[in-house]
């Protein structure tokens, strides 16, 4: 399944682009969904530079924000990618943290 | 960095300081040119410093109904217990005055090196009173105050005024100044201090009303702390944490350190919360052309730091102006990337740089000025406004730069826009009042209240109008809390307002809290001053200050009807990214009711006696109706 990623801030800086499409093998069962963790690991594989910017020890790193954007609208913040599967049509926004300034 | 940290017996007269605060301020009469040292009474010193001192003094000494541009208004410029010490990220000084933009009490802040120099003068700040008969520059050297003729720089920019003062008094002075906007009493006029700005609320117009073009400080006194070993441990540990954060690629402070505050435009844009075209849309397609990364990629960039700060979030960019000259610009900051970028549909980083520079030269707040221009462009689009010889179109560089210059000079349409967004809208009528994005005449900061419900409440209830520094923007934009719901937001907003007020007594850079746990602050206060507070007492100081401000504003005539959002906030945001987010009227009123109840205020937003008694300020009830 092709997963669309939108990257901002330091993630975009690392990837060299704000938009990435990554092919992710479905985990088995429903071919129209993939484990989010697998998608994020695949994203890490596309990043320039050393190390994995997004995933560490099976969890999203604390400085990284992951949102799932639904085709019908709405954004869902995800802290634990292990429990979530991406459905066809959903895309993922990944950013480094931001606060007021 | 801290060459004036003292050694045993260094203090003037051999007396050992027992606190990092001098417990005295310089009272300066601009009319008589006399000055005196004012020892601060204990009931002021219990407000710790910074914003606390400023608020207490202004509420005690200025009538709430005072005309902000009259001699009766005062400017209270203060520093805090960590200013001028080795505590990292505490360069700021605070101005408290009555705002000519909003009519409320105003507090505004600037970093740079001014705060430390004020402390080195052996004072906790100055109180400027009355008005000079002729344009003057003031030099303060320790406790000696002299007035100097400002006529060579009347009409000149803030930068030219700063250079003049350094030429006149020597390059070691630290300065603040106003530009033409402050001289002409533009409501959005700011006070500039070298690389930083006392931006919001029109403090520049108050200084202009006193015919003070600039102030220079030179101090030679040391700063000590009450408990040196403890203080040095706290400061060293704090510095280690901050430096480590700066080195982390994905840490917020690290991003600020590399490309400045504009690093966050992308996330806010993706979350549908970047106000675009006078808050009509929630995302700007061309935001990537004007964010911090765009400036770093396109222009030679070098960071600049404030006193004692390893983050150096200020960015200097070298660019070519539209007429081909080489120029340097400090900024623009994230907020300006909204107000003179997305909100006016400006996708050109050079035009944005020139707009930012115009605001610096004239001495104007980029936020409220940009918001006012965005409104004017919408009014032009609907045929309500026009200006002979000047196109008024979103995204048109002549419109943006032309309107900025007209506001700074108070020419043509600029004279009426100089009143501020709400007053300009009321003057023109024709339905424009509901389209102007402001609270209490102060323009919205770069966050969309329709999208972020807690931020909406914070803007509406802000004592100084539409203040983003005391809003739950981080929690909402990162999705820690659901930005679309109202549950729990009243409590969250109250908590942030109280805590930030307390922190501003120190006077912390706003970003310091991003890397520091709250328990550190009362420990710093104890180590610096000997004043022993637990965290709850420290927060209560902030709550006390918030209520003092509210009392002043209530006595000045503000009520619940002023804690409101413009009509446009009750229309859905256009564009897909923002999911047609809208504030429901009932939603807003429910949040406001809950907020007033948590505050211990009446349904009309007036502080009531029980909360004043709890906070130890029942005597100020005399100011209330």
């Amino acid at each position: 399944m092709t997963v669309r990623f939108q990257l901002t801030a330091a993630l975009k800086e690392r990837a060299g682009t704000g938009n990435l499409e990554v092919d992710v093998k479905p985990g088995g069962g429903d071919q129209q969904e993939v484990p989010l963790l697998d998608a994020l690991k695949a994203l890490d594989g596309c990043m320039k530079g050393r190390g994995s910017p997004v995933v560490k020890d099976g969890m999203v790193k604390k400085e990284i924000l992951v949102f799932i954007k639904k085709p019908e609208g709405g954004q869902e913040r995800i802290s634990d990618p292990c429990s979530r599967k991406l459905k066809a049509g959903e895309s993922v926004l990944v950013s480094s943290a931001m606060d007021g300034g | 960095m801290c060459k004036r940290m003292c050694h045993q017996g260094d203090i003037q007269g051999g007396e050992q300081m027992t606190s990092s605060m001098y417990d005295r301020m310089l009272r300066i009469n601009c009319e008589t040119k006399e000055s005196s040292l004012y020892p601060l009474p204990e009931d002021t010193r219990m407000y710790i410093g910074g914003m606390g001192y400023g608020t207490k003094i202004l509420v005690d000494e200025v009538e709430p109904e005072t005309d902000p541009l009259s001699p009766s208004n005062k400017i209270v410029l203060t520093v805090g217990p960590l200013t001028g010490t080795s505590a990292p990220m505490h360069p700021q000084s605070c101005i408290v005055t009555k705002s000519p933009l909003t009519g409320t009490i105003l507090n505004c802040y600037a970093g740079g090196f001014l705060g430390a120099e004020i402390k080195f003068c052996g004072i906790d700040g100055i109180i400027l009173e009355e008005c000079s008969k002729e344009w003057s520059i003031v030099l303060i050297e320790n406790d000696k105050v002299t007035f100097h003729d400002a006529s060579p720089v009347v009409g000149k920019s803030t930068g030219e005024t700063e250079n003049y003062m350094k030429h006149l008094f020597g390059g070691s002075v630290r300065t603040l100044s106003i530009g033409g906007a402050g001289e002409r009493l533009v409501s959005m006029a700011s006070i500039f201090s070298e690389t930083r700005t006392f931006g919001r609320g029109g403090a520049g117009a108050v200084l202009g009303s006193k015919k003070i073009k600039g102030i220079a400080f030179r101090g030679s006194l040391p700063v000590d702390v009450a408990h040196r070993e403890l203080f040095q441990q706290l400061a060293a540990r704090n510095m280690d944490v901050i430096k480590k954060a700066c080195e982390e690629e994905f840490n917020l402070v690290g991003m600020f350190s590399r490309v400045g505050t504009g690093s966050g435009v992308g996330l806010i844009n993706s979350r549908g919360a970047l106000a675009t075209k006078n808050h009509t849309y929630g995302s700007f397609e061309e935001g990537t052309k004007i964010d911090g990364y765009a400036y770093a990629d396109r222009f030679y960039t070098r960071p600049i730091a404030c006193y004692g700060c390893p983050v150096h979030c200020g960015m200097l960019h070298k660019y070519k102006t539209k007429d081909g000259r080489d120029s340097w610009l400090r900024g623009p900051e994230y907020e300006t990337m909204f107000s003179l970028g997305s909100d006016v549909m400006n996708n050109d980083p050079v035009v944005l740089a020139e707009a930012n520079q115009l605001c610096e030269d004239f001495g104007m707040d980029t936020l409220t000025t940009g918001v006012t221009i965005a409104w004017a462009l919408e009014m032009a689009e609907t045929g309500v406004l026009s200006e002979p010889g000047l196109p008024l179109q979103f995204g048109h560089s002549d419109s943006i730069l032309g309107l900025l210059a007209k506001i700074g000079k108070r020419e043509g349409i600029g004279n009426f826009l100089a009143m501020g967004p709400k007053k300009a809208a009321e003057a023109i009528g024709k339905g424009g009042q509901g389209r102007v994005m402001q609270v209490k005449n102060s323009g919205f900061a770069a966050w969309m209240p329709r999208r972020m419900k807690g931020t909406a409440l914070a803007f509406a209830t802000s004592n100084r109008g539409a203040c983003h520094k005391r809003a739950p923007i981080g929690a909402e934009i990162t999705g820690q809390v659901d930005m679309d719901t109202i549950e729990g937001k009243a409590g969250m907003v109250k908590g942030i307002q109280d805590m930030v007020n307390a922190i501003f007594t120190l006077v912390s850079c706003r970003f310091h809290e991003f890397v520091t746990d709250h328990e550190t602050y009362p420990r710093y206060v104890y180590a610096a001053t000997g004043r022993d507070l637990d965290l709850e007492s420290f927060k209560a100081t902030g709550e006390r200050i918030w209520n003092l401000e509210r009392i002043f504003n209530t006595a000045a005539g503000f009520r619940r009807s002023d804690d409101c959002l413009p009509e446009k906030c009750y229309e859905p945001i256009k564009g897909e990214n923002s999911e047609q987010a809208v504030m429901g009227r009932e939603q807003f009123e429910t949040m406001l009711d809950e907020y007033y109840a948590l505050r211990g205020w009446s349904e009309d937003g007036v502080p009531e006696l029980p909360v004043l008694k709890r906070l130890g300020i029942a005597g100020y009830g005399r100011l209330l109706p």
Side-chain angles (χ1 to χ4, degrees):
Chain A
M1 189 169 112
T2 300
V3 177
R4 282 192 302 119
F5 285 97
Q6 187 182 3
L7 307 175
T8 74
L11 267 298
K12 181 184 169 201
E13 195 183 25
R14 173 72 93 92
T17 177
N19 294 288
L20 261 181
E21 289 189 352
V22 180
D23 284 322
V24 185
K25 287 196 177 121
D30 192 340
Q31 298 293 302
Q32 294 303 305
E33 56 181 41
V34 294
L36 177 58
L37 183 59
D38 289 354
L40 293 174
K41 284 178 179 172
L43 175 66
D44 267 345
C46 298
M47 291 290 195
K48 298 173 189 173
R50 288 177 300 163
S52 303
V54 178
V55 176
K56 185 179 175 184
D57 299 331
M59 295 290 289
V60 174
K61 286 184 176 175
K62 68 175 170 60
E63 319 80 82
I64 303 296
L65 308 175
V66 175
F67 299 86
I68 289 179
K69 297 174 84 166
K70 298 170 188 171
E72 66 272 20
Q75 295 181 1
E76 179 190 349
R77 166 91 190 266
I78 306 291
S79 298
D80 177 11
C82 300
S83 57
R84 188 66 162 75
K85 284 188 162 66
L86 272 175
K87 299 186 179 64
E90 289 182 335
S91 61
V92 187
L93 166 64
V94 188
S95 179
S96 34
M98 176 63 195
D99 204 304
Chain B
M1 174 178 81
C2 246
K3 53 187 177 182
R4 290 193 178 88
M5 280 298 283
C6 81
H7 304 284
Q8 196 80 24
D10 267 0
I11 311 294
Q12 193 178 28
E15 184 188 338
Q16 174 66 54
M17 276 181 84
T18 55
S19 168
S20 60
M21 298 296 274
Y22 276 93
D23 297 336
R24 61 190 184 207
M25 294 178 65
L26 266 174
R27 204 178 273 284
I28 302 172
N29 187 311
C30 298
E31 184 183 7
T32 63
K33 316 262 188 296
E34 287 168 353
S35 63
S36 59
L37 276 172
Y38 166 58
L40 292 170
E42 170 58 22
D43 70 347
T44 299
R45 289 187 277 125
M46 63 184 271
Y47 285 79
I48 302 177
M51 187 200 174
Y53 281 12
T55 304
K56 175 74 165 67
I57 291 168
L58 199 90
V59 173
D60 284 347
E61 299 189 9
V62 174
E63 295 292 333
E65 303 92 348
T66 296
D67 175 353
L69 299 177
S70 73
S72 306
N73 194 7
K74 300 189 184 189
I75 288 182
V76 189
L77 168 62
T78 57
V79 293
L82 302 187
T83 318
T85 70
S86 57
M89 295 179 80
H90 284 82
Q92 301 212 343
S93 47
C94 169
I95 283 177
V96 177
T97 187
K98 184 171 176 182
S99 165
L101 178 69
T102 60
T104 64
I105 193 167
L106 167 69
N107 58 94
C108 53
Y109 305 85
F113 291 78
L114 180 73
E117 203 68 31
I118 293 171
K119 184 66 79 73
F120 301 152
C121 287
I123 53 176
D124 298 335
I126 63 173
I127 305 169
L128 275 180
E129 303 173 328
E130 306 300 332
C131 299
S132 174
K133 291 189 176 63
E134 55 286 315
W135 280 100
S136 299
I137 285 170
V138 183
L139 172 64
I140 299 173
E141 294 178 290
N142 293 349
D143 58 0
K144 184 177 159 213
V145 179
T146 49
F147 281 70
H148 303 259
D149 177 28
S151 56
V153 284
V154 170
K156 301 281 194 210
S157 70
T158 55
E160 287 167 312
T161 307
E162 172 195 328
N163 287 342
Y164 179 75
M165 285 191 278
K166 287 187 185 269
H167 175 73
L168 200 60
F169 304 130
S172 63
V173 295
R174 295 297 183 175
T175 66
L176 58 86
S177 60
I178 58 172
E183 292 176 25
R184 297 180 192 99
L185 311 181
V186 172
S187 298
M188 299 87 87
S190 304
I191 297 176
F192 276 66
S193 177
E194 302 180 8
T195 62
R196 291 294 176 186
T197 318
F198 295 95
R200 308 220 70 192
V206 181
L207 199 61
S209 73
K210 296 188 179 306
K211 282 201 153 63
I212 303 297
K213 180 69 174 163
I215 306 178
F217 292 83
R218 182 188 290 117
S220 62
L221 297 176
V223 179
D224 200 358
V225 295
H227 303 285
R228 287 182 190 167
E229 201 175 312
L230 174 61
F231 190 90
Q232 281 161 3
Q233 283 168 7
L234 285 171
R237 208 176 307 145
N238 202 194
M239 181 66 92
D240 284 344
V241 166
I242 296 165
K243 280 184 172 174
K244 187 162 175 296
C246 288
E247 287 160 11
E248 289 172 12
E249 184 180 3
F250 301 116
N251 187 286
L252 172 66
V253 168
M255 290 196 299
F256 283 179
S257 190
R258 289 198 308 282
V259 295
T261 59
S263 53
V265 169
L267 173 64
I268 293 122
N269 213 6
S270 301
R271 294 280 277 147
L274 179 64
T276 299
K277 199 178 181 188
N278 192 34
H279 277 253
T280 303
Y281 299 91
S283 55
F284 187 41
E285 266 185 39
E286 300 182 282
T288 51
K289 293 182 180 173
I290 56 168
D291 67 10
Y293 295 99
Y295 275 88
D297 283 343
R298 184 167 164 176
F299 306 115
Y300 174 74
T301 298
R302 58 166 275 247
I304 50 171
C306 297
Y307 179 92
C309 181
V311 179
H312 52 67
C313 70
M315 296 290 150
L316 278 178
H317 307 289
K318 189 175 179 185
Y319 72 107
K320 278 208 188 300
T321 61
K322 289 181 86 61
D323 58 7
R325 287 175 293 117
D326 277 333
S327 188
W328 282 92
L329 166 79
R330 188 201 63 78
E333 302 291 347
Y334 162 69
E335 297 285 342
T336 307
M337 290 170 182
F338 138 75
S339 64
L340 294 170
S342 63
D343 212 32
V344 294
M345 300 288 282
N346 173 21
N347 64 1
D348 186 335
V350 173
V351 173
L352 179 53
E354 297 204 6
N356 193 75
Q357 190 59 44
L358 269 178
C359 287
E360 290 232 357
D361 291 343
F362 280 112
M364 297 192 296
D365 173 25
T366 58
L367 265 179
T368 297
T369 311
V371 164
T372 306
I373 287 174
W375 169 79
L377 295 178
E378 182 173 317
M379 292 300 101
E381 214 173 55
T382 55
V384 170
L385 278 184
S386 63
E387 175 72 353
L390 184 66
L392 295 184
Q393 294 167 29
F394 281 103
H396 197 306
S397 60
D398 288 348
S399 305
I400 297 160
L401 300 176
L403 281 174
L404 281 171
K406 281 184 179 285
I407 293 170
K409 294 176 192 171
R410 292 201 88 135
E411 280 177 359
I413 194 174
N415 189 37
F416 121 99
L417 294 177
M419 294 191 286
K422 180 181 177 204
K423 290 180 183 172
E426 285 168 351
I428 200 133
K430 299 183 184 175
Q433 299 95 307
R435 320 305 297 168
V436 66
M437 310 311 282
Q438 51 74 44
V439 172
K440 302 178 177 82
N441 204 31
S442 180
F444 279 1
W447 310 86
M448 292 195 88
R450 282 173 280 176
R451 192 89 176 98
M452 302 162 71
K453 304 297 194 283
T455 300
L457 181 66
F459 276 13
T461 58
S462 165
N463 284 327
R464 66 172 192 166
C467 173
H468 62 293
K469 292 197 173 199
R470 298 163 177 88
I473 37 188
E476 290 191 309
I477 205 68
T478 60
Q480 279 175 47
V481 298
D482 185 347
M483 61 164 79
D484 288 322
T485 65
I486 64 170
E487 278 73 31
K489 298 294 172 72
M492 187 178 280
V493 167
K494 176 189 179 295
I496 290 171
Q497 288 169 340
D498 292 347
M499 190 65 200
V500 172
N501 265 21
I503 290 171
F504 282 174
T505 64
L506 300 183
V507 186
S508 289
C509 168
R510 187 67 188 93
F511 303 153
H512 184 256
E513 196 200 358
F514 299 171
V515 287
T516 305
D517 60 83
H518 287 167
E519 284 74 18
T520 299
Y521 291 109
R523 288 207 288 269
Y524 256 141
V525 172
Y526 174 70
T529 69
R531 191 173 287 273
D532 199 359
L533 300 168
D534 59 20
L535 182 57
E536 289 312 305
S537 305
F538 181 68
K539 281 190 214 170
T541 305
E543 187 184 5
R544 186 176 303 118
I545 297 165
W546 191 266
N547 278 269
L548 267 191
E549 292 184 292
R550 187 74 181 190
I551 289 169
F552 184 93
N553 288 350
T554 303
F558 289 85
R559 296 289 186 278
R560 180 186 182 116
S561 55
D562 301 293
D563 291 344
C564 64
L565 298 171
E567 278 302 307
K568 195 168 183 175
C569 283
Y570 299 106
E571 299 167 10
I573 304 174
K574 294 183 180 175
E576 288 178 4
N577 242 6
S578 309
E579 299 145 17
Q580 286 78 51
V582 66
M583 174 65 74
R585 278 181 212 277
E586 203 176 307
Q587 272 189 316
F588 179 75
E589 298 300 326
T590 300
M591 274 200 298
L592 194 58
D593 284 337
E594 192 182 332
Y595 173 82
Y596 285 168
L598 284 172
R599 280 271 174 220
W601 299 349
S602 70
E603 284 178 4
D604 204 22
V606 178
E608 299 197 298
L609 196 54
V611 70
L612 301 186
K613 277 186 175 166
R614 175 171 62 77
L615 295 170
I617 51 173
Y620 288 93
R622 71 183 185 279
L623 295 175
L624 295 173

